[in-house]
Amino acid sequence: MATIHIADADAARAAIPALCEVLADCINGGASLGFMLPFTPEDATGYWGQVAEEVEVGRTILALAELEGRVVGTVQVGLATKPNQPHRGDLMKLLVHRSARGHGLSRPLMDAVEAEAARRGRTLLVLDTATGSEAERIYPRFGWERVGMIPEYAMWPDGGFCDTTLFYKRIGSYALPGASS
């Protein structure tokens, strides 16, 4: 049975070795996640350390999925900090280790992070994902709306350009400060 939870900074730091394994596995499996090959778990340590710092200061929500006590999946929401965007967040890096796929972890990870984002006052989430990827096919099943595609937005881990598809999802409800209902 899987366990899904929102991590505080201590839990995020404790999970860094496992998160490094998950990220490296996904990149080595061909996912376009902002990193290039060759990529090892050790290469991910600095990235996950930064994520833990963002969790600590309240700028990132980090959800973790565990199977048999081992972190095998994750997703994040970066909370927009600009004064004109107090209602928005950026969904980032829905990752499930290839050995843990097929256990239905993506949906509960997404449900957990979306619920926490709504609890923190976010009503609009956005994301981008590689066009034609497995990830692009999953988001509409979770209620996300496709906005469009940007050509040659990023690169696949082994080189070559990849397009990106943009999505959004409305969650929760937000009242503008000073607005009457």
Side-chain angles (χ1 to χ4, degrees):
M1 178 100 176
T3 303
I4 309 293
H5 61 94
I6 301 298
D8 63 15
D10 291 337
R13 286 186 187 92
I16 287 175
L19 289 168
C20 289
E21 290 290 334
V22 172
L23 181 58
D25 176 73
C26 291
I27 292 166
N28 284 292
S32 177
L33 297 164
F35 301 95
M36 303 301 286
L37 293 174
F39 194 85
T40 67
E42 294 75 27
D43 295 328
T45 303
Y47 170 76
W48 288 114
Q50 289 176 326
V51 170
E53 289 176 19
E54 294 293 306
V55 167
E56 185 165 44
V57 298
R59 284 192 294 254
T60 295
I61 300 167
L62 176 67
L64 302 175
E66 295 181 19
L67 276 177
E68 300 173 5
R70 180 177 146 235
V71 173
V72 294
T74 185
V75 66
Q76 304 166 52
V77 170
L79 302 174
T81 59
K82 293 181 178 146
N84 71 338
Q85 299 173 21
H87 62 291
R88 192 178 63 73
D90 297 295
L91 189 101
M92 303 177 288
K93 295 188 179 22
L94 173 60
L95 309 173
V96 176
H97 195 285
R98 287 178 287 173
S99 69
R101 293 183 185 163
H103 289 276
L105 299 175
S106 293
R107 183 175 297 274
L109 276 167
M110 294 290 288
D111 289 347
V113 80
E114 289 172 16
E116 181 65 15
R119 190 185 75 70
R120 296 191 194 185
R122 288 345 196 236
T123 59
L124 178 67
L125 299 179
V126 297
L127 69 84
D128 68 86
T129 193
T131 304
S133 67
E134 184 178 327
E136 181 191 13
R137 290 185 292 279
I138 201 169
Y139 292 116
R141 288 186 263 159
F142 298 159
W144 287 73
E145 298 289 330
R146 184 178 277 110
V147 175
M149 188 266 299
I150 302 172
E152 299 180 359
Y153 183 81
M155 297 177 78
W156 294 108
D158 61 356
F161 288 111
C162 69
D163 303 338
T164 197
T165 301
L166 303 172
F167 289 88
Y168 77 93
K169 185 173 185 180
R170 293 185 186 277
I171 60 170
S173 60
Y174 183 81
L176 291 173
S180 59
S181 22

